[in-house]
């Protein structure tokens, strides 16, 4: 079983993954970046724009269609899911009315409650439907708030359900800054291993944070300059209505850059600009080739390609996956 014995890259013929809530394919990019042959035996994503970007990025393979995870049954070596985090995040306003008039009850919601966070239970259902055969690793990423006192019981229950299926789960709060990316992005990663194996996060390969200027574009269209008085007034302020000036690192990349809380780059002489879509993708660990492929299939909405901001903000930091896979597949540790 190559997934429980570290092998060289030459010995690994193909790793099969299943990407649930797959977004723009962060784990697949990570495996590609470290030279591991990978086949996504399926990719499940309901956001049509994200599917277009994913298909453009991996155009050599057959395109995937928009679909939900409900009732899915496949057999990957590694299952990766980053179920929607809006109900679990502070920014998601858990317990508030949604745009369609329904109420989100937060990550404490039980299975089948209808909230976005309840979709995490579909992963459990998918594994149950696999019968005796199960993925050897299940990796789940979510926001820091998933371990808050109001949310923690749901995460604990998730791990308990996986334990019943033969998995041992461990979790760790990982920051993108520990993996070379100048972005303060803290997310919990839960790695569940089949057959009682326990994953140890302590010896993951971590790399020094790179200089933020390596990620910024040299020439930027004036369209990215901050012109809204509501944002300019918030520069230097605190609280929810704030606009922070980026210094050594960016703060968490969100799905929108042009609303508070915001982060801006100082152009001096009282001028500021937002991060570009490309910069946001770079700050999630994507290559310019990944970005350009996705941008080729996304239209501007107003001044920006808003779908590309959203996709970056909803994604998972690629270098963190690189480090996880280096240990899981190759036995490479610090």
């Amino acid at each position: 079983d190559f997934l429980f014995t570290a092998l060289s890259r030459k010995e690994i013929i193909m790793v099969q993954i299943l990407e649930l809530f797959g977004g723009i394919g962060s784990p697949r990019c990570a495996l590609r970046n470290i030279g591991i042959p990978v086949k996504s035996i399926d990719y499940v994503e309901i956001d049509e724009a994200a599917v277009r970007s994913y298909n453009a990025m991996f155009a050599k393979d057959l395109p995937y269609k928009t679909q939900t995870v409900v009732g899915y049954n496949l057999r990957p070596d590694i299952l990766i899911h980053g179920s929607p985090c809006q109900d679990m995040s502070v920014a998601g306003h858990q317990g508030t009315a949604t745009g369609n008039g329904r109420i989100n009850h937060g990550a404490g919601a039980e299975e089948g409650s209808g909230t976005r966070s309840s979709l995490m239970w579909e992963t459990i259902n998918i594994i149950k439907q696999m019968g005796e055969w199960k993925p050897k690793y299940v990796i789940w990423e979510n926001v820091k708030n998933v371990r808050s006192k109001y949310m923690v019981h749901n995460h604990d229950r998730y791990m308990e359900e996986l334990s019943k299926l033969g998995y041992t789960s461990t979790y760790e709060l990982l920051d993108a800054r520990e993996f070379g990316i100048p972005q303060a992005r803290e997310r919990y990663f839960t790695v569940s291993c089949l057959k009682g194996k326990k994953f140890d996060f302590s010896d993951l390969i971590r790399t020094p944070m790179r200089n933020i200027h390596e990620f910024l574009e040299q020439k930027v269209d004036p369209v990215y300059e901050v012109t809204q008085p509501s944002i300019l007034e918030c520069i230097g302020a605190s609280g929810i209505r704030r606009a922070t000036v980026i210094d050594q690192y960016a703060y968490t990349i969100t799905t929108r850059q042009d609303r508070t809380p915001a982060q801006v780059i100082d152009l001096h002489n009282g001028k500021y600009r937002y991060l570009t879509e490309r910069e946001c993708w770079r700050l999630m660990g994507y290559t310019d080739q990944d970005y350009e492929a996705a941008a080729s299939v996304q239209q501007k909405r107003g001044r920006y390609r808003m779908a590309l901001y959203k996709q970056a903000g909803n994604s998972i930091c690629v270098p963190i996956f690189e480090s996880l896979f280096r240990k899981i597949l190759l036995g490479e540790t610090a």
Side-chain angles (χ1 to χ4, degrees):
D1 186 343
F2 74 88
L3 287 175
F4 287 104
T5 305
L7 299 179
S8 72
R9 288 176 176 81
K10 293 182 179 179
E11 292 175 293
I12 297 177
I13 299 173
M14 183 72 68
V15 175
Q16 296 192 125
I17 62 173
L18 171 58
E19 302 169 271
L20 305 182
F21 318 100
I24 50 178
S26 174
R28 187 168 179 173
C29 288
L31 287 163
R32 176 203 64 196
N33 291 351
I34 64 173
I36 300 295
V38 56
K39 178 181 180 182
S40 184
I41 59 175
D42 217 334
Y43 154 86
V44 181
E45 172 59 54
I46 200 170
D47 186 316
E48 183 180 353
V51 173
R52 287 201 305 272
S53 289
Y54 184 98
N55 285 339
M57 291 162 64
F58 305 106
K60 293 181 181 180
D61 300 302
L62 293 175
Y64 295 94
K65 298 179 180 178
T66 302
Q67 56 192 321
T68 70
V69 299
V70 179
Y72 233 71
N73 184 8
L74 292 169
R75 296 186 172 187
D77 297 311
I78 305 175
L79 187 157
I80 306 112
H81 65 125
S83 53
C85 64
Q86 292 96 329
D87 292 345
M88 300 187 186
S89 68
V90 173
H93 309 295
Q94 58 267 11
T96 62
T98 67
N100 58 16
R102 292 185 298 178
I103 299 296
N104 289 337
H105 296 287
E110 296 299 322
E111 182 177 357
S113 68
T115 67
R116 288 168 292 193
S117 57
S118 69
L119 288 173
M120 63 184 285
W121 300 113
E122 290 300 333
T123 300
I124 301 293
N125 292 335
I126 287 168
I127 296 172
K128 287 179 179 177
Q129 291 166 12
M130 292 179 181
E132 293 184 3
W133 192 97
K134 295 179 179 66
K136 299 168 186 67
Y137 287 87
V138 177
I139 303 175
W140 184 47
E141 180 263 9
N142 219 298
V143 293
K144 186 176 181 180
N145 206 40
V146 76
R147 294 298 300 175
S148 71
K149 65 179 181 180
Y150 299 109
M151 312 293 178
V152 65
H153 70 281
N154 224 24
H155 186 208
D156 287 342
R157 184 185 161 200
Y158 164 80
M159 292 187 289
E160 290 169 6
E161 291 298 317
L162 281 175
S163 177
K164 295 175 185 177
L165 296 175
Y167 291 90
T168 299
S169 299
T170 53
Y171 60 89
E172 187 76 21
L173 187 67
L174 301 178
D175 190 327
R177 290 174 293 183
E178 300 177 293
F179 298 86
I181 299 293
Q183 180 196 169
R185 189 182 190 90
E186 293 181 307
R187 293 291 186 268
Y188 271 109
F189 285 77
T190 303
V191 178
S192 303
C193 309
L194 196 60
K195 301 178 181 178
K197 185 177 178 67
K198 186 176 182 179
F199 187 83
D200 183 4
F201 287 88
S202 65
D203 58 358
L204 283 177
I205 296 174
R206 289 169 165 81
T207 54
M209 186 181 75
R210 293 162 59 190
N211 191 308
I212 184 71
H213 294 287
E214 296 178 36
F215 295 76
L216 302 181
E217 297 189 74
Q218 297 302 309
K219 295 182 179 180
V220 176
D221 193 303
V223 73
Y224 294 97
E225 289 187 18
V226 180
T227 58
Q228 304 100 306
S230 60
I231 302 293
L232 292 170
E233 292 171 2
C234 293
I235 293 175
S238 59
I240 296 298
R241 292 192 72 253
R242 68 182 184 277
T244 307
V245 178
I246 295 172
D247 185 14
Q248 295 182 340
Y249 54 82
Y251 295 89
T252 301
I253 300 298
T254 60
T255 58
R256 290 283 298 268
Q257 297 300 303
D258 58 344
R259 63 184 180 187
T260 55
Q263 54 182 325
V264 297
I265 294 172
D266 191 351
L267 299 177
H268 307 297
N269 298 319
K271 293 184 177 181
Y272 302 85
R273 73 166 177 88
Y274 299 114
L275 291 169
T276 67
E277 300 95 323
R278 184 188 296 270
E279 289 168 340
C280 289
W281 275 59
R282 288 176 176 176
L283 287 164
M284 293 303 299
Y286 291 96
T287 67
D288 279 359
Q289 290 75 20
D290 292 329
Y291 171 78
E292 287 160 8
S296 71
V297 295
Q298 303 294 345
Q299 299 296 319
K300 284 188 177 181
R301 198 183 83 191
R303 298 192 295 173
Y304 316 119
R305 287 183 173 87
M306 299 305 298
L308 295 176
Y309 279 129
K310 180 180 179 181
Q311 289 161 23
N314 283 336
S315 189
I316 303 172
C317 187
V318 174
I320 295 180
F321 270 134
E322 291 176 13
S323 185
L324 290 171
F325 291 140
R326 284 182 188 278
K327 177 170 181 174
I328 289 171
L329 296 170
L330 303 172
E332 295 180 0
T333 56

